[in-house]
Amino acid sequence: MADALISVLLEQLASVVYKHTNAAVKLVLDAEKDVKSFSSKLKAIQAVLEDAEKKQVTEASVEDWLKKLKDVSYEMDNVLDEWNTELLRQQVEEKQEVEVDNALVTKKKVCFPMPSGCFCFGKVNKVIHRHNIAKRIKELNERLTLIAAEREMFGFHQTTIGGHDEQLIQRQNTSSLVDISMIFGREEEKKMLLSKLLRESNQDGGKLLVIPIVGMGGMGKTTLAQLAYNNENVTAHFNKKVWVCVSDPFDEVKIAKAIIENLDETQSSSNELQILLQSIKRRVEDKKFLLVLDDVWTEDHKKWENLKLPIIMQSCAKGSTILVTTRKEGVAKMMRATSSMIHSDKLNDKDCLALFNSIAFLDRKEDQVTEFGAIGEEIVKKCKGLPLAAKTLGSLVWYKKTKEEWRDVLNSKIWELEEVEEQVFRPLLLSYYDLAPTVKMCLLYCAIFPKDYKLRKDDLIEFWMSQDYLNSKGKKEKRRIGQSYFESLAMRSFFQDFVKDELGNIRGCKMHDIVHDFVQFLTQKECTIIEAVDGANQSTELPSDKVRHLTLKNVAKGPLPTLCYGCKNMRSLILLDSEITTISPRSVMQMKCLRTLNLSDNMLNEVPKEIGELIHLRYMDLSWSGNLKELPDAVCDLYNLQTLDVSWCPHLEKLPKAMGKLINLKHLYVWACSELRYLPKGIGSLKSLQVLDRFYVCEGDDDEALKLGDLGIMDQLQGILQIERLGKDDASEIEKAQLGNKEHLSRLEVLFHGGAAEQRKGDEEIVKALQPHQNLESLLIGYCQIGTTESLYWIKSLHNLRSVSLIGWRFCEVLPPLGKLPSLEILEIDGMKKVKTVGVEFLGIEEEEQVSGILFPKLKRLEFREMRNWEEWAFLSEITIMPRLSELRILYCPTLKALPEFLYKIPELRTLEIKGCPILEGEYEKGVGKEWHNIFHIPNLTIGWN
C-alpha cells in the first residue's frame, strides 16, 4: 500500500511546487526548499518499495518501517492539502471582492454572500498559519531523512518506476473476459444438487429438505448454488425463491428482514424477530419455497434455533428446501443435514487447466496456445485444484505477452510463502503485485465495505477520487481513469457478480469472499469495520490511531457515536444499515482529516455548521435523509469538495446560496428532492461540473434561481441529466443551455408540466430547441403536450441512440419516425392516448418511398402502454422490420385488434406479454384463440392476467 501512497504524494509534491513558484501566489515563503528535499527522498525510497511490499509479509521489521513511512507520508499529504486549501480560499475571496466591487458600480445583486469565516484569518493570523505550515513541513522532512537512512539496513532491490502502465492498454474484447461465468468440473455435483432440489420431499419422509454445500474458500460453492438457483427447471419447480447472503456474524434479525425484502421487495420496519418470522410464515405458507443461505459460518445451534426456519418451512408445501453454502462441515451438523451434504472438492488437473485456459487464452491465436501451453500447465499445478486460483492466474497471464513474463509468474518466490493465511492468497498476491501502485490503492480501499456488499461502480470511482487515487500526469479526466482502473480490477477477477443496466453497461459488482479476506489481510488495521452494540450509541472505541478508513454498521436511532480514540487520522467514515439522527459538533471536530463522509440512508435532521471545518473533505453523501430540510451555509467553505449527494431527500427545501464557492465541485446529485423549488444561481459559475443529475426549473421569477441557460457553460456534463418542470416560457433558455455541445452526456430526460387540459403551443418550440449532441445514447421525453412529432425532427440524426422513452404525450396523434435509427435497442411508448394507427410513419419512411435495408435493425425490446385508442398496427409486408426483437409487451391497449404478421416470423422473439387488451387476449388465447397458432412457439408467453 505504501508504494501507491508514495506515488500519489509525489504527484502532489510536484504539483504544489509548480503552483507556488509564482511570487504572486506564493503562500509559504520558506517551505519550498523542504518540499523539494522531501520529494527527492521519496523518489529514492520509491525505487525499493516494490521489494519492501513483498518482504513485509515475512519480515516484521520491514512492516514496521513501511508503517513509519506511511505515517509521515499521510501527514505530509495533510499539510500540503492545507496549503492548497488556503490558496483556494484566497482565489474565492479575490473573486468575491471583484464581484462586490462590480455590484457597487452596477448596483446588481451579488451571487453569493461573504465567507462564513472558516478560513477568514486576519492578516496576523494568516502569517501565523503560514509559518505553522512551513514548520510542519520542515519537521516532516527531518523525520523522512531518518526513515530514508533506515532503508539501507534491509538490502532492498531496486525496481524500475512506472513499469505497470501497460496494464491500462486494453485489447479489443476485454469485456468478454469480465463476462466469463463458465463452470468446470462440477457436472457431478450439479447433477446431484438438481436431483435433490427437484425431489418432492426429503428421503426420510419430511416436508423440508436442508442441503449444505461444503468446501474451502475459493472452491466455487456459491457458483454451484447460483447455477442451480437460476436453472429453468428449478425456477418452474418452486413457487417462491429467495437468496440471502449471510456471512459473519450470523444476525437473525438481519437475515429475517432480507428474506422478507426478497420475497416481495418491501422493507420491514420492525426489529422484533418474532414479528419478522410470523411475516415470513404468512408469505410462504402452502408455497413450495426455496431458500438459499449463502456463506454461513456460525456453528451455534442456539442461533439457528432462534431463526426457526425449519419450523416456519414446515408450513410450506411439500418439497420446500433450504440450500446452504458454507466452509465448515460443523454448520451441516448444526443443521442436522449431513445426510444431504454435497462436498465441493478441488478440481482435477484437467478441469483446472480448462478453466485457466478459457481465460488465459481468450482472443489469442492458436499458435500462441501451442507456444505457451506447457508453461500454462505448470502454472495450473500451482493452483492445487482451487478454481478461484485458476481464474485469478488466468486473468493475470492474459495480460502477459511473452514466455518470459509467463515464466516469471511460474517461478515467483510468492509460491514459497508460508505466512499467508489461505492457499488462494498466493495467486492473489501475484496478481496484486502486478498492478500499478494507484490501482493497488483502489483495490485495497474496497476493504472498507463488508462482505457481500453490492458495490456501485460510479460510487466506488468517486470514493477513489476523494482519496486522490486517480491523479494523472496527463490531461486524462479522473472519472475516466477510475473507469479504467475498475475495468482492470474486474478483468483480473478481483470483482465478480456484475450488475448491468438495460443497455449492458456495468453498474455494480461484488467481491468474492476470499478476495475480501485478502484485501483485509493486506490493509490490516488501516481499514476497520465495526458493528455497533445495541443501545451503545454514546461512543465507539477504535482499535488504534492507525485507522484511516472506518465503517460503522447498525448504529441505532440517535446521535452519531463519539469516536473515543484514534480518529484524528481518519480519512473515511461510512455508515451502513444505520439510523443516526444528528451529528454533534464534537464528533465533527474529531475528524479533521476526513476526505470521505458517507451518511446515506440515515435519519438525519440537520447537519451542523461545524462541517465547514472539514477542509480536506472531498466526498459527502447525505442521500436518503428523510428529515433533512436544509444544509448549513458552512458547506460552501468546503473548497475541496468534489461530490455532494443529497438525492432522495424528500423534505430538502433549499441549497445554500453560496455554492459558487465550491470551485472543485464535480458531482452534484439532487435526484428526487421533491420539495426543492430550484437550484441556487451560484452553481452556474461551476464550469468544471461533470454530473448534475437533475435540473429543477424555477416556477417563478426568482433572481436567486439557476436558469436553464446557465447550463450553457457546463460542457463537461456527463452521465444523466434530467430537466424537470419545463413550461411554456423555457424555449429560449433551452437554446442558451446548448445541449448540442454536451458531448459527454449519455442520457437526457426532459419532463414537462403534466396534466394540461389542452395543448401547449410553447411545448413545440421547446422540443425543437432541445436537439442534444449526436453522442447521446438514451432519451426520455415525458408529458409533452403537442399534437404531432414534427418538432422532433432532429431525432433522426442521433445515430448512437440506444434507448427511447416517450411518456404521456396525451395529445399526440402519430408516432415519431424512429425506424431508421441504426443503434436503437429499447423503445417505450407510454400514454399516447390519441394514436389510432401505427403505420409507415413510425418506420421513418414515406408511403411511396422505396426502402432498401432493414428498419429498426437492432431493436431488442419494444413496449406499448396505455394506448387507449390504438386500433391498427400495419406495416408493409415486403420490408424487413425488427429482425432482432426479443421482447414485446403490449399493456392496456383495449382497442387494438391484431398484431402485424411480421412479428410471427421474428426468430429471436422470446417474450410476448399482452395484458389489459381484451380484443388481443381473445384472439391469442391459449389453445382456443384463432391466432394462437401464430404465437405458441414463443417461449415466454403471458396473455391476460392468468
Side-chain angles (χ1 to χ4, degrees):
M1 193 172 182
D3 58 345
L5 175 61
I6 302 308
S7 295
V8 170
L9 185 54
L10 280 170
E11 287 186 17
Q12 289 182 267
L13 287 162
S15 173
V16 81
V17 170
Y18 169 77
K19 285 180 181 177
H20 299 282
T21 50
N22 187 328
V25 297
K26 201 163 188 175
L27 185 62
V28 185
L29 297 177
D30 55 349
E32 185 177 332
K33 180 180 177 182
D34 284 319
V35 167
K36 289 181 177 178
S37 174
F38 193 97
S39 180
S40 176
K41 294 184 188 77
L42 271 189
K43 285 178 182 177
I45 291 173
Q46 188 185 31
V48 302
L49 278 179
E50 186 171 330
D51 189 36
E53 291 272 7
K54 293 175 182 177
K55 285 185 176 178
Q56 71 168 325
V57 179
T58 56
E59 298 181 28
S61 57
V62 175
E63 184 181 11
D64 290 339
W65 180 77
L66 283 171
K67 284 179 181 177
K68 288 191 289 185
L69 177 61
K70 284 190 284 188
D71 285 345
V72 75
S73 298
Y74 276 127
E75 288 183 47
M76 178 60 88
D77 182 38
N78 289 335
V79 175
L80 293 179
D81 207 45
E82 285 185 39
W83 184 349
N84 193 57
T85 302
E86 178 67 4
L87 179 65
L88 293 174
R89 184 194 63 76
Q90 287 185 9
Q91 290 176 4
V92 171
E93 284 189 353
E94 289 169 5
K95 179 182 176 184
Q96 287 180 312
E97 288 173 6
V98 170
E99 289 177 351
V100 169
D101 291 342
N102 291 340
L104 292 173
V105 174
T106 63
K107 296 183 180 181
K108 289 184 178 179
K109 195 169 183 178
V110 182
C111 288
F112 44 73
M114 292 299 287
S116 63
C118 174
F119 263 91
C120 284
F121 302 102
K123 288 184 179 179
V124 174
N125 283 342
K126 286 180 182 179
V127 172
I128 294 172
H129 179 66
R130 295 170 187 179
H131 174 74
N132 286 339
I133 288 177
K135 182 180 177 182
R136 286 161 64 193
I137 290 174
K138 187 176 185 65
E139 290 171 352
L140 290 169
N141 190 32
E142 290 170 355
R143 282 171 57 189
L144 185 63
T145 301
L146 297 175
I147 293 169
E150 286 179 7
R151 82 181 188 276
E152 301 297 335
M153 57 192 281
F154 297 111
F156 294 133
H157 297 294
Q158 290 198 11
T159 51
T160 305
I161 305 301
H164 296 276
D165 293 341
E166 72 277 2
Q167 69 176 293
L168 296 179
I169 302 171
Q170 298 164 12
R171 296 203 299 269
Q172 186 175 0
N173 293 320
T174 53
S175 60
S176 58
L177 186 63
V178 170
D179 290 332
I180 284 181
S181 58
M182 293 176 283
I183 189 165
F184 294 84
R186 296 290 183 224
E187 285 306 314
E188 285 301 315
E189 292 96 327
K190 179 183 174 184
K191 186 177 178 181
M192 185 189 307
L193 178 55
L194 289 176
S195 174
K196 290 177 181 292
L197 287 172
L198 297 175
R199 284 178 188 163
E200 287 302 317
S201 67
N202 198 354
Q203 285 183 317
D204 63 10
K207 273 188 174 183
L208 174 66
L209 176 63
V210 179
I211 307 173
I213 303 175
V214 182
M216 66 180 288
M219 278 298 174
K221 301 180 296 296
T222 298
T223 303
L224 179 60
Q226 287 172 337
L227 280 172
Y229 187 82
N230 296 318
N231 182 272
E232 290 183 3
N233 294 329
V234 170
T235 301
H237 185 72
F238 291 95
N239 303 117
K240 297 273 187 180
K241 294 192 309 177
V242 165
W243 183 292
V244 176
C245 296
V246 178
S247 294
D248 196 38
F250 189 94
D251 186 329
E252 301 96 310
V253 171
K254 186 177 177 181
I255 293 168
K257 280 189 166 187
I259 292 172
I260 293 170
E261 185 176 342
N262 279 277
L263 279 169
D264 53 16
E265 297 184 352
T266 60
Q267 291 186 339
S268 175
S269 57
S270 175
N271 286 315
E272 293 291 329
L273 182 59
Q274 293 308 313
I275 294 174
L276 295 169
L277 296 178
Q278 289 169 11
S279 180
I280 295 171
K281 184 176 180 181
R282 285 195 304 271
R283 286 166 165 81
V284 300
E285 202 162 13
D286 298 324
K287 303 281 197 310
K288 194 180 292 184
F289 180 37
L290 172 61
L291 173 63
V292 179
L293 300 176
D294 185 36
D295 194 28
V296 178
W297 283 77
T298 186
E299 298 176 67
D300 186 342
H301 196 273
K302 186 176 180 181
K303 285 184 173 289
W304 179 242
E305 285 184 340
N306 288 343
L307 197 53
K308 296 181 180 177
L309 287 178
I311 296 173
I312 289 172
M313 293 189 69
Q314 290 298 332
S315 66
C316 297
K318 189 178 179 182
S320 295
T321 303
I322 299 177
L323 177 60
V324 177
T325 70
T326 179
R327 298 187 202 179
K328 305 167 93 175
E329 194 165 319
V331 171
K333 292 177 181 177
M334 179 264 292
M335 294 178 172
R336 300 192 180 101
T338 53
S339 62
S340 299
M341 188 162 50
I342 296 175
H343 283 280
S344 184
D345 294 321
K346 295 182 179 182
L347 295 178
N348 61 43
D349 290 345
K350 180 181 177 182
D351 292 324
C352 200
L353 182 62
L355 174 56
F356 172 87
N357 288 345
S358 70
I359 300 173
F361 294 111
L362 182 71
D363 297 333
R364 289 186 187 265
K365 296 177 181 178
E366 192 62 37
D367 60 337
Q368 288 181 304
V369 179
T370 305
E371 185 181 358
F372 289 70
I375 306 174
E377 289 179 19
E378 292 301 312
I379 291 174
V380 168
K381 289 178 183 178
K382 302 279 190 180
C383 296
K384 300 186 184 299
L386 289 166
L388 181 60
K391 188 177 178 183
T392 300
L393 290 174
S395 300
L396 172 62
V397 299
W398 181 79
Y399 282 90
K400 308 299 182 183
K401 299 176 182 178
T402 67
K403 281 185 177 181
E404 287 71 25
E405 290 175 310
W406 280 51
R407 287 197 186 97
D408 286 343
V409 172
L410 175 63
N411 298 323
S412 172
K413 291 183 179 180
I414 288 173
W415 296 116
E416 301 169 13
L417 292 179
E418 296 180 358
E419 287 77 7
V420 293
E421 297 174 358
E422 301 256 7
Q423 286 185 37
V424 77
F425 278 13
R426 297 185 186 101
L428 287 172
L429 273 171
L430 267 169
S431 195
Y432 168 76
Y433 287 137
D434 196 58
L435 296 171
T438 47
V439 183
K440 287 180 187 174
M441 205 84 156
C442 291
L443 172 65
L444 296 182
Y445 191 80
C446 296
I448 198 171
F449 304 106
K451 281 186 179 179
D452 298 314
Y453 187 80
K454 295 177 182 177
L455 298 164
R456 287 188 68 251
K457 184 180 79 169
D458 289 346
D459 289 349
L460 194 54
I461 290 171
E462 287 173 21
F463 282 139
W464 294 340
M465 195 182 303
S466 69
Q467 297 294 323
D468 284 334
Y469 298 163
L470 306 181
N471 286 330
S472 173
K473 295 176 183 176
K475 294 183 178 180
K476 192 172 182 181
E477 193 263 310
K478 288 185 179 182
R479 200 176 187 90
R480 298 188 187 280
I481 295 172
Q483 288 170 349
S484 296
Y485 288 0
F486 180 91
E487 289 166 10
S488 181
L489 291 171
M491 288 184 288
R492 289 171 181 267
S493 300
F494 287 114
F495 297 143
Q496 63 176 30
D497 295 345
F498 297 98
V499 177
K500 299 183 180 183
D501 62 16
E502 60 183 11
L503 296 176
N505 302 308
I506 293 175
R507 292 300 180 212
C509 64
K510 287 185 179 181
M511 295 186 84
H512 191 286
D513 291 346
I514 292 292
V515 177
H516 189 271
D517 292 343
F518 172 71
V519 294
Q520 287 199 323
F521 166 72
L522 291 179
T523 53
Q524 297 183 8
K525 294 179 181 179
E526 284 203 19
C527 294
T528 301
I529 300 174
I530 298 178
E531 287 264 354
V533 179
D534 287 345
N537 260 44
Q538 296 302 311
S539 64
T540 295
E541 195 82 19
L542 298 187
S544 80
D545 63 353
K546 303 303 181 189
V547 173
R548 309 287 178 183
H549 310 288
L550 173 66
T551 297
L552 294 177
K553 290 185 65 182
N554 300 318
V555 180
K557 190 174 182 179
L560 176 71
T562 302
L563 302 171
C564 295
Y565 170 73
C567 58
K568 65 177 183 177
N569 295 318
M570 210 162 63
R571 291 176 158 237
S572 302
L573 175 63
I574 296 176
L575 265 69
L576 298 175
D577 303 320
S578 300
E579 297 181 338
I580 68 162
T581 55
T582 58
I583 315 168
S584 71
R586 181 186 172 193
S587 293
V588 173
M589 299 303 286
Q590 283 182 308
M591 303 181 288
K592 284 288 193 88
C593 292
L594 213 60
R595 263 82 170 158
T596 306
L597 177 62
N598 187 348
L599 302 176
S600 175
D601 204 11
N602 277 271
M603 303 177 70
L604 278 178
N605 298 314
E606 62 179 355
V607 177
K609 68 179 186 302
E610 285 76 13
I611 202 77
E613 299 285 335
L614 303 182
I615 64 167
H616 303 289
L617 198 64
R618 285 155 166 78
Y619 179 102
M620 182 161 62
D621 186 352
L622 306 172
S623 62
W624 295 91
S625 297
N627 300 319
L628 191 63
K629 290 187 176 180
E630 62 179 359
L631 299 181
D633 291 339
V635 165
C636 301
D637 293 327
L638 301 173
Y639 304 120
N640 289 302
L641 195 66
Q642 297 169 347
T643 297
L644 176 61
D645 190 345
V646 290
S647 59
W648 297 97
C649 292
H651 297 296
L652 186 69
E653 297 173 354
K654 61 179 181 178
L655 294 174
K657 295 178 184 178
M659 287 187 68
K661 293 166 61 179
L662 299 176
I663 56 178
N664 277 305
L665 193 67
K666 288 181 169 57
H667 318 116
L668 177 60
Y669 297 96
V670 290
W671 192 273
C673 295
S674 53
E675 294 296 315
L676 192 61
R677 292 199 303 113
Y678 58 80
L679 300 176
K681 191 172 183 62
I683 293 173
S685 65
L686 303 179
K687 295 182 180 181
S688 61
L689 201 66
Q690 294 173 355
V691 175
L692 177 62
D693 60 346
R694 181 172 285 194
F695 182 95
Y696 295 93
V697 175
C698 183
E699 296 179 348
D701 293 326
D702 196 319
D703 290 339
E704 295 179 353
L706 184 71
K707 304 296 183 186
L708 260 174
D710 295 331
L711 298 183
I713 66 168
M714 300 182 188
D715 287 345
Q716 299 305 310
L717 286 180
Q718 54 189 262
I720 184 174
L721 170 63
Q722 185 184 89
I723 302 173
E724 188 177 297
R725 306 172 192 161
L726 272 175
K728 61 182 180 180
D729 301 323
D730 297 312
S732 62
E733 288 294 323
I734 282 281
E735 289 178 355
K736 293 177 188 174
Q738 299 183 51
L739 296 177
N741 291 342
K742 297 177 181 12
E743 60 182 302
H744 305 297
L745 273 185
S746 59
R747 179 172 175 84
L748 176 65
E749 297 186 4
V750 180
L751 300 177
F752 289 77
H753 278 292
E758 57 185 25
Q759 293 184 36
R760 282 193 300 255
K761 293 182 179 178
D763 285 11
E764 193 162 335
E765 293 303 311
I766 292 173
V767 173
K768 284 182 182 177
L770 284 174
Q771 197 155 6
H773 193 277
Q774 63 182 12
N775 287 350
L776 196 74
E777 292 187 358
S778 184
L779 174 68
L780 181 150
I781 303 178
Y783 313 108
C784 182
Q785 309 299 335
I786 58 178
T788 71
T789 59
E790 293 177 5
S791 54
L792 203 63
Y793 65 91
W794 42 260
I795 200 169
K796 296 179 181 179
S797 66
L798 301 182
H799 291 170
N800 294 298
L801 205 58
R802 299 172 64 192
S803 173
V804 173
S805 298
L806 303 178
I807 300 172
W809 290 39
R810 55 189 301 204
F811 297 107
C812 194
E813 298 179 2
V814 294
L815 295 186
L818 303 176
K820 293 182 179 179
L821 290 176
S823 303
L824 188 64
E825 297 175 24
I826 299 168
L827 176 58
E828 178 185 17
I829 307 290
D830 185 347
M832 286 196 172
K833 297 180 179 180
K834 286 204 171 185
V835 171
K836 291 186 176 181
T837 302
V838 173
V840 292
E841 77 290 338
F842 184 42
L843 301 177
I845 60 175
E846 303 295 333
E847 293 252 4
E848 66 281 357
E849 184 180 344
Q850 295 293 318
V851 181
S852 59
I854 302 170
L855 297 171
F856 290 107
K858 291 189 178 180
L859 192 68
K860 296 177 183 177
R861 197 171 87 214
L862 174 62
E863 180 172 318
F864 292 103
R865 183 190 292 264
E866 290 282 355
M867 308 275 282
R868 294 289 178 176
N869 293 299
W870 182 23
E871 298 176 0
E872 185 180 11
W873 184 0
F875 290 157
L876 301 175
S877 58
E878 62 271 16
I879 304 174
T880 303
I881 304 169
M882 305 180 189
R884 299 177 64 179
L885 188 69
S886 60
E887 297 179 37
L888 173 62
R889 290 178 172 83
I890 304 175
L891 310 173
Y892 310 109
C893 302
T895 59
L896 184 60
K897 298 172 185 175
L899 300 179
E901 290 186 6
F902 80 90
L903 290 172
Y904 307 149
K905 303 171 185 177
I906 299 176
E908 295 191 31
L909 188 59
R910 310 289 295 172
T911 299
L912 174 60
E913 182 178 346
I914 299 173
K915 291 181 179 178
C917 310
I919 300 176
L920 285 185
E921 289 169 28
E923 292 288 300
Y924 296 98
E925 186 178 353
K926 183 177 181 179
V928 297
K930 69 176 186 179
E931 297 293 338
W932 168 252
H933 66 283
N934 285 318
I935 64 165
F936 77 93
H937 63 282
I938 300 172
N940 303 311
L941 275 174
T942 305
I943 309 296
W945 297 100
N946 297 322

